């Protein structure tokens, strides 16, 4: 390690986190509309919310690592961790409350695990052959 920051790598991680955030916002808007129009109990809302988080992290990791990419483990874990941190930070700022430390730790570990797992799988997949014209 030479101590220099690889800005291409940083840009890929930021791109993944931003993708996950945009997908979450869109999905939460749809969920809000569904709850207002059709109703949904609290347990179902919590389950759907967890599903949205997982799908958002997976999409963010897919865009940052890609098939046959490099550093899938660390990139995926970083996308998951940063995404969860930003999400909880924004929620705390809006709601004015702070997350329970145990809940936050579990969420961070889950985000890291989902991201790292997806990153490893993607990095070890064969890259698609592209047709050049």
């Amino acid at each position: 390690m030479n101590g220099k920051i690889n800005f291409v790598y940083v840009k890929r991680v930021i791109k993944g986190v931003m993708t996950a955030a945009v997908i979450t916002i869109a999905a939460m808007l749809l969920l809000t509309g569904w709850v207002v129009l059709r109703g949904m109990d609290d347990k179902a809302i919590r389950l759907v919310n967890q599903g949205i988080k997982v799908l958002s992290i997976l999409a963010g990791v897919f865009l940052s690592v890609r098939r046959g990419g490099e550093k899938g483990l660390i990139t995926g874990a970083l996308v998951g961790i940063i995404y969860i941190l930003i999400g909880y930070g924004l929620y705390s700022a809006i709601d004015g409350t702070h997350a329970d430390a145990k809940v936050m730790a579990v969420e961070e570990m889950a985000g890291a695990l989902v991201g790292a797992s997806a990153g490893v799988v993607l990095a070890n997949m064969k890259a698609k052959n592209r047709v050049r014209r």
Side-chain angles (χ1 to χ4, degrees):
M1 200 163 218
N2 58 12
K4 293 182 181 178
I5 297 174
N6 183 349
F7 286 106
V8 173
Y9 179 70
V10 171
K11 183 178 172 183
R12 285 188 349 207
V13 171
I14 291 170
K15 180 180 174 181
V17 172
M18 296 304 293
T19 299
V22 168
I23 290 171
T24 298
I25 292 168
M28 293 307 279
L29 287 172
L30 291 172
L31 176 61
T32 302
W34 182 269
V35 170
V36 168
L37 295 175
R38 301 288 215 142
M40 189 180 279
D41 67 346
D42 288 346
K43 185 177 180 180
I45 291 172
R46 276 189 241 117
L47 287 173
V48 171
N49 188 33
Q50 292 300 325
I52 290 170
K53 287 179 194 176
V54 168
L55 291 175
S56 296
I57 291 170
L58 291 175
V61 172
F62 179 78
L63 279 180
S64 29
V65 175
R66 295 285 188 177
R67 290 173 62 138
E70 298 175 354
K71 300 181 183 178
L73 177 76
I74 190 71
T75 303
L78 282 173
V79 168
I81 290 169
I82 295 169
Y83 165 79
I84 296 292
L85 278 175
I86 290 172
Y88 269 93
L90 289 174
Y91 180 78
S92 293
I94 292 168
D95 192 38
T97 60
H98 299 290
D100 179 36
K102 289 180 184 177
V103 171
M104 186 68 181
V106 169
E107 288 280 340
E108 286 297 324
M109 286 189 291
L113 182 64
V114 168
S117 299
V120 166
V121 169
L122 284 167
N124 286 297
M125 292 175 83
K126 255 186 160 179
K128 288 185 179 179
N129 292 335
R130 294 187 178 161
V131 177
R132 301 240 186 234
R133 291 184 181 192

